[in-house]
């Protein structure tokens, strides 16, 4: 693999240090493809959660749409494509869903609006994962819940539905609104998630990060390796 490929994988590993513990439950033959797929999803998270001028991110999104359509024709330019493009997956359908990321930057009115804004994207991701990660599909709502949890971690109050902020009152700190949204996401996100084994393991890590926010605490990713190991084992054992 190239240095460019390694840089994308290293960026994902840096954001998810828990994976160094949890990946033991992913079959060795699946690990490279899993990391490439998760690194691609991180690129989409970055586009969704861009701060400042959105134009460069929007241009990048358009580039990705073209790239994914080319993967359907077994052509790739991106380093991650060297691993992912050979997989016969509905790449074009994922490309068609990417514009939802741009629209989903706007603060939703309520929780259902937040989920609805990314419903097509969640369904496309779940469909691609059936081929890439080889297993039963995750539910689109579960995928969206994880995307929204990551958005909350990166965008803070800007990710919280307006209804939750107004319900907490103008004097309430943004922390209360974020905590309320984290709790709603936890309720919409089953502890025993569906999907291929790598998705279930990653979802367990993401849910562990969200739980402290719902309880009003600061997440400390990777600080409790035995806890990570336990939750990852339980997630993997759902086969």
């Amino acid at each position: 693999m190239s240095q460019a490929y390694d840089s994308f994988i290293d960026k994902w590993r840096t954001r998810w240090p828990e994976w160094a513990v949890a990946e033991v439950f992913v079959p060795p033959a699946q690990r490279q493809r899993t990391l490439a797929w998760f690194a691609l999803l991180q690129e989409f998270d970055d586009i969704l959660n861009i701060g400042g001028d959105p134009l460069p991110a929007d241009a990048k999104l358009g580039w990705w749409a073209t790239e994914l359509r080319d993967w359907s024709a077994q052509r790739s330019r991106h380093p991650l494509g060297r691993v992912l493009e050979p997989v016969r997956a509905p790449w074009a359908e994922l490309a068609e869903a990417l514009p939802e990321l741009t629209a989903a930057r706007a603060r939703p009115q309520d929780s259902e609006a937040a989920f609805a804004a990314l419903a097509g994207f969640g369904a496309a991701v779940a469909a691609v994962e059936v081929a890439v990660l080889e297993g039963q599909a995750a539910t689109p709502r579960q995928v969206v819940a994880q995307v929204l949890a990551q958005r909350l971690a990166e965008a803070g109050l800007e990710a919280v539905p307006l209804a939750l902020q107004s319900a907490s009152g103008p004097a309430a700190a943004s922390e209360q609104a974020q905590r309320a949204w984290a709790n709603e996401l936890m309720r919409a996100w089953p502890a025993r998630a569906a999907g291929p084994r790598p998705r279930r393991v990653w979802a367990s890590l993401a849910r562990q990060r969200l739980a402290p926010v719902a309880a009003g605490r600061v997440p400390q990713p990777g600080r409790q390796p035995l806890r990570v190991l336990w939750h990852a084992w339980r997630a993997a054992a759902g086969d």
Side-chain angles (χ1 to χ4, degrees), residues 4-16 19 31-47 60 64 68 71 78-81 83-84 91 94 121 129 132-133 146 199 202:
Y5 171 84
D6 290 342
S7 70
F8 284 99
I9 301 304
D10 290 345
K11 183 171 72 170
W12 188 84
R13 282 189 175 277
T14 297
R15 292 194 189 177
W16 293 91
W19 191 254
R31 290 177 191 173
Q32 183 184 55
R33 189 185 293 176
T34 294
L35 285 171
W37 172 240
F38 289 168
L40 175 62
L41 292 180
Q42 179 170 271
E43 293 300 298
F44 298 150
D45 280 337
D46 288 347
I47 290 170
K60 188 176 183 180
W64 269 117
L68 290 174
W71 288 8
H78 197 277
L80 295 176
V83 175
L84 296 173
W91 300 116
L94 180 57
F121 178 74
E129 283 188 348
V132 173
L133 303 182
Q146 187 167 338
R199 163 62 71 171
W202 186 28

Side-chain angles (χ1 to χ4, degrees), residues 188-223:
W189 188 354
R192 300 288 284 180
R197 182 185 293 186
R199 163 62 71 171
R200 298 197 310 269
V201 172
W202 186 28
S204 77
L205 304 183
R207 209 171 185 279
Q208 285 179 69
R209 287 189 178 192
L210 183 62
V213 180
R217 302 193 305 272
V218 177
Q220 296 182 316
R223 294 291 183 87

